[in-house]
């Protein structure tokens, strides 16, 4: 039996929340390994809708859930989310939720810096969520971050704040932001420490015990591979590694423990914020995809840009993540289209490429080379069996498999947890 890492294979918003929630039934532990509360997962369970940002999706199933060291954590946002989900009937305590004691914190000054930079960037802004994730990761690699464990040591915390502010005050002066109040920050962190520390543990040690006992671990990624700080459409990316390789580093388990990599892809393509998007549609088809797919960001509420399925990018994601199988989501959104298009290459000047180039100019200039497929008029909404799908829908799924080189292990036909067709159980390897 394998552990499973779930990663987005596009620009995020692929429906990872539902898939992770569905797989949680088969797992013993669920681990978030990167990102922050800029990521949003929506779970639909019966009549209830859960919107998660920091909490691993396993909490809704009552599975032991771990926020790993690769995540940057806003402690106030975390407590707010715990309170909100508890109010929906899911009791969350230290017996259910573990927070890595070596995870770095997002502070109010990070949010200030994020907002000020975007405001001053003008047309060059990259479309961050403004929640301080990027600046928090900067402080992490700059070795000046405040970590969860620091909350237990008030004397050391004061010294660390002083070191942190030595860097931030200069930035704030340059951006015309009032200097941060160190005493106020120390008081705020001291006040919240007693509420956060009960969840704090050496997560790597817990996960090593889980591994040695033979239990199943589900690694939950945030955002998508095309937002990876190394492999995404730089600089229109997030500030962390979103690919499957980060599951090991961001949780404290060795790479051999990651196991099966499940890449989540929509049956079409969406993106929130700025950056290149070769298959983006600006016509009635694009509007129809957005309306039928309810394409609004879980965290930001911003409308998502919509376009046809991009097999080139999905194939590229397969390579950089080591994807073993795909979960294809929102197939039902394509119901009723007479014809469908799939991108099979890019034209850049006089060249035709089978990958997305790294250069910004080439990315912006890339225009899709399409293959046209037959659509279907029948409904796939809520289908739970392969035989319930129209023949043209089956052909579409098979063509996606051929073009990406990855088999479809799971097929999702609605936001509901049980409207899922299992072709291959990822936990069986």
């Amino acid at each position: 039996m394998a552990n499973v890492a779930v990663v987005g294979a596009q620009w995020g918003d692929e429906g990872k929340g539902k898939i992770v929630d569905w797989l949680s039934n088969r797992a013993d532990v669920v681990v978030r390994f990167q990102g922050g509360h800029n990521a949003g997962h929506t779970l639909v369970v019966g009549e209830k809708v859960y919107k998660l940002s920091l909490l691993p999706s396993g909490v809704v199933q009552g599975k032991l859930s771990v926020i790993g060291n690769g995540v940057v954590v806003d402690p106030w946002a975390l407590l707010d989310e715990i309170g909100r989900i508890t109010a929906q009937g899911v009791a969350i305590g230290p017996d259910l939720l573990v927070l890595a004691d070596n995870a770095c914190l997002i502070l109010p000054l990070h949010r200030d810096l994020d907002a000020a930079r975007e405001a001053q960037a003008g047309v060059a802004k990259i479309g961050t969520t403004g929640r301080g994730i990027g600046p928090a990761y900067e402080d992490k690699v700059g070795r000046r971050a405040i970590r969860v464990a620091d909350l237990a040591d008030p004397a050391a915390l004061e010294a660390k704040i002083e070191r942190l502010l030595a860097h931030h005050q200069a930035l704030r002066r340059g951006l015309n932001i009032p200097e941060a109040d160190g005493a106020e920050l120390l008081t705020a962190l001291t006040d919240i420490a007693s509420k956060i520390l009960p969840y704090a543990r050496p997560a790597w040690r817990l996960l090593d015990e889980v591994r040695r006992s033979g239990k199943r671990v589900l690694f939950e990624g945030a955002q998508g591979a095309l937002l990876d700080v190394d492999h995404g459409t730089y600089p229109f990316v997030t500030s962390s590694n979103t690919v499957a390789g980060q599951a090991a580093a961001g949780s404290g388990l060795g790479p051999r423990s990651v196991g099966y990599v499940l890449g989540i892809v929509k049956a079409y393509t969406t993106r929130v914020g700025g950056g290149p998007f070769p298959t983006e549609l600006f016509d009635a088809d694009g509007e129809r995809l957005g309306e039928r797919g309810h394409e609004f960001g879980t965290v930001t509420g911003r409308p998502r840009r919509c376009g046809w399925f991009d097999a080139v990018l999905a194939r590229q994601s397969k390579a950089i993540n080591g994807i073993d199988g795909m979960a294809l989501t929102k197939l039902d959104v394509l119901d009723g289209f007479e014809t469908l298009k799939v991108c099979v290459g890019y034209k850049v000047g006089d060249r035709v490429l089978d990958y997305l180039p790294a250069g910004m100019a080439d990315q912006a200039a890339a225009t899709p080379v399409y293959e046209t497929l037959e659509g279907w008029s029948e409904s796939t909404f809520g289908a739970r069996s392969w035989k319930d799908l129209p023949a043209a829908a089956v052909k579409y799924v098979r063509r996606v498999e051929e073009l990406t080189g990855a088999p479809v292990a799971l097929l999702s036909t609605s936001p509901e947890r049980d409207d899922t067709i299992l072709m291959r159980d990822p936990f069986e390897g």
Side-chain angles (χ1 to χ4, degrees):
M1 295 181 183
N3 295 328
V4 176
V6 175
V7 293
Q10 294 162 315
W11 277 293
D13 305 308
E14 302 96 348
K16 292 183 294 297
K18 170 192 167 168
I19 299 300
V20 170
D21 177 55
W22 192 86
L23 288 170
S24 294
N25 275 324
R26 294 163 166 76
D28 299 297
V29 182
V30 182
V31 186
R32 263 288 301 277
F33 60 82
Q34 51 77 219
H37 63 309
N38 55 339
H41 292 166
T42 300
L43 311 182
V44 180
V45 184
E47 298 297 317
K48 289 192 175 182
V49 177
Y50 301 94
K51 292 185 180 293
L52 307 178
S53 293
L54 273 171
L55 293 174
S57 299
V59 296
V60 175
Q61 295 272 17
K63 298 299 177 79
L64 179 61
S65 298
V66 178
I67 299 175
N69 58 275
V71 180
V72 285
V73 179
D74 182 322
W76 297 276
L78 176 58
L79 291 178
D80 179 71
E81 189 173 334
I82 289 172
R84 184 162 41 80
I85 300 303
T86 298
Q88 290 186 265
V90 180
I92 299 174
D95 56 332
L96 179 65
L97 178 67
V98 172
L99 172 61
D101 58 2
N102 57 340
C104 294
L105 299 180
I106 299 173
L107 306 173
L109 52 79
H110 294 129
R111 296 194 297 272
D112 294 344
L113 184 57
D114 206 353
R117 282 174 170 171
E118 280 288 272
Q120 294 201 14
V123 295
K125 65 183 180 180
I126 59 175
T128 78
T129 60
R131 299 195 171 198
I133 280 76
Y137 273 117
E138 289 176 34
D139 282 343
K140 177 179 179 177
V141 298
R143 295 165 294 179
R144 55 183 170 264
I146 307 297
R147 304 205 296 181
V148 172
D150 295 328
L151 298 177
D153 188 351
L157 183 58
E158 186 172 3
K160 290 197 171 191
I161 289 174
E162 184 177 345
R163 182 172 185 272
L164 179 67
L165 291 184
H167 174 79
H168 275 267
Q169 303 294 37
L171 290 176
R172 294 171 78 91
R173 288 192 293 269
L175 290 165
N176 295 316
I177 311 172
E179 291 194 3
D181 187 326
E184 182 179 300
L185 178 57
L186 177 61
T187 298
L189 289 173
T190 302
D191 288 346
I192 205 170
S194 62
K195 300 173 185 176
I196 291 293
L197 287 173
Y199 298 98
R201 291 171 61 184
W204 64 268
R205 188 168 183 271
L206 168 68
L207 292 172
D208 183 57
E209 293 170 357
V210 167
R211 178 192 62 80
R212 287 188 285 106
S213 68
K215 294 180 178 179
R216 291 171 161 181
V217 179
L218 181 61
F219 300 92
E220 178 182 10
Q223 290 100 18
L226 301 176
L227 292 174
D228 184 273
V229 69
D230 287 301
H231 300 287
T233 48
Y234 192 91
F236 300 95
V237 294
T238 193
S239 300
S240 63
N241 287 112
T242 60
V243 293
Q246 177 65 14
S251 66
L253 276 175
R256 290 186 180 179
S257 298
V258 174
Y260 187 99
V261 178
L262 182 69
I264 316 298
V265 292
K266 275 179 182 166
Y268 49 103
T269 311
T270 63
R271 177 166 199 168
V272 169
F277 185 173
T279 66
E280 184 173 9
L281 296 171
F282 301 95
D283 57 10
D285 285 338
E287 290 182 12
R288 185 177 178 185
L289 288 172
E291 290 170 2
R292 296 202 60 193
H294 305 291
E295 296 297 351
F296 295 92
T298 300
V299 168
T300 64
R302 291 181 290 186
R304 298 177 185 136
R305 301 153 63 190
C306 297
W308 296 120
F309 185 80
D310 192 330
V312 180
L313 287 180
R315 185 169 61 245
Q316 198 161 322
S317 284
K318 176 184 180 292
I320 63 178
N321 284 286
I323 288 172
D324 296 297
M326 296 187 298
L328 186 65
T329 65
K330 291 199 168 185
L331 182 68
D332 55 293
V333 174
L334 299 182
D335 292 352
F337 280 91
E338 187 174 337
T339 59
L340 303 167
K341 292 183 179 180
V342 175
C343 176
V344 295
Y346 303 126
K347 190 171 183 181
V348 181
D350 59 357
R351 298 172 294 158
V352 176
L353 303 178
D354 62 354
Y355 66 96
L356 187 67
M360 283 183 66
D362 282 347
Q363 288 182 355
T367 58
V369 177
Y370 282 123
E371 177 178 304
T372 301
L373 301 174
E374 177 189 1
W376 55 90
S377 58
E378 306 95 321
S379 173
T380 64
F381 184 84
R384 298 184 180 182
S385 170
W386 190 248
K387 69 179 187 317
D388 294 335
L389 299 177
V394 173
K395 288 180 182 178
Y396 183 82
V397 174
R398 292 306 189 202
R399 187 57 179 149
V400 165
E401 290 180 317
E402 291 170 359
L403 290 170
T404 60
V408 172
L410 293 164
L411 187 63
S412 172
T413 57
S414 95
E416 290 286 347
R417 175 191 287 167
D418 294 329
D419 291 342
T420 305
I421 301 172
L422 175 65
M423 265 87 91
R424 179 180 180 180
D425 189 341
F427 280 113
E428 297 301 325

